[in-house]
Amino acid sequence: MNEPRIRPASADDLDAVLAFWKAAAEGTSISDDRTGVERLVARDPEALLLAECDGELVGTVIAGFDGWRCHLYRLAVHPDRRRRGIGSALLTAAEERFAALGGRRADAMVLDRNERAHHAWRAAGYGPEPQWSRWVKPLPD
């Protein structure tokens, strides 16, 4: 397999990304719809990174930076392409983006039940912080 090509998503990619997440990502989010992803790309065109091999979408990560913290979401690799360096390539691209923006620490949203993801994140140098919990409140539409 060739090295994956990493690039930011464009508006033309959004339907493919949403379909990809249904096949490759664990869990769902309230923002996993066209409106949510359009808003992300419009606000920060460099945040949604795609990995392609021979023109095929094989991985994604959202590398969001709010000026204070670096946040990673939706790291997903196609099930048939896992354990080939695609996730690592996406994380490297995300971390390079963060460094260029002045970010100092990255955090990742990882489902507690996704043991496979725990291994991948640990291998990339990330670890849980047991003193923190995520508190959420859905906002009205």
Side-chain angles (χ1 to χ4, degrees):
M1 180 183 85
N2 297 336
E3 288 292 313
R5 175 180 172 240
I6 310 294
R7 67 170 179 86
S10 71
D12 294 338
D13 297 309
L14 303 188
D15 290 330
V17 167
L18 289 165
F20 178 80
W21 285 344
K22 286 181 181 177
E26 179 78 19
T28 58
S29 166
I30 195 169
S31 301
D32 286 356
D33 59 23
R34 181 141 182 115
T35 301
V37 182
E38 281 176 341
R39 189 175 300 118
L40 167 69
V41 172
R43 184 186 176 285
D44 187 351
E46 305 289 315
L48 176 53
L49 300 175
L50 307 182
E52 297 177 324
C53 291
D54 300 320
E56 177 188 355
L57 178 59
V58 296
T60 67
V61 70
I62 297 173
F65 182 63
D66 60 15
W68 179 257
R69 296 262 166 79
C70 306
H71 305 286
L72 295 160
Y73 308 93
R74 281 298 186 221
L75 176 63
V77 175
H78 190 282
D80 295 339
R81 302 287 188 118
R82 291 181 179 153
R83 303 195 51 83
R84 298 182 189 178
I86 295 166
S88 294
L90 283 161
L91 286 178
T92 296
E95 291 166 359
E96 288 172 354
R97 175 179 199 269
F98 293 151
L101 292 170
R104 299 169 62 190
R105 179 179 71 176
D107 64 48
M109 294 298 301
V110 183
L111 290 171
D112 289 339
R113 70 176 185 266
N114 191 341
E115 290 293 325
R116 179 180 295 145
H118 297 184
H119 296 291
W121 284 105
R122 279 192 179 94
Y126 292 78
E129 289 191 325
Q131 71 273 24
W132 298 100
S133 294
R134 181 176 181 219
W135 293 35
V136 299
K137 176 184 177 182
L139 300 174
D141 290 337

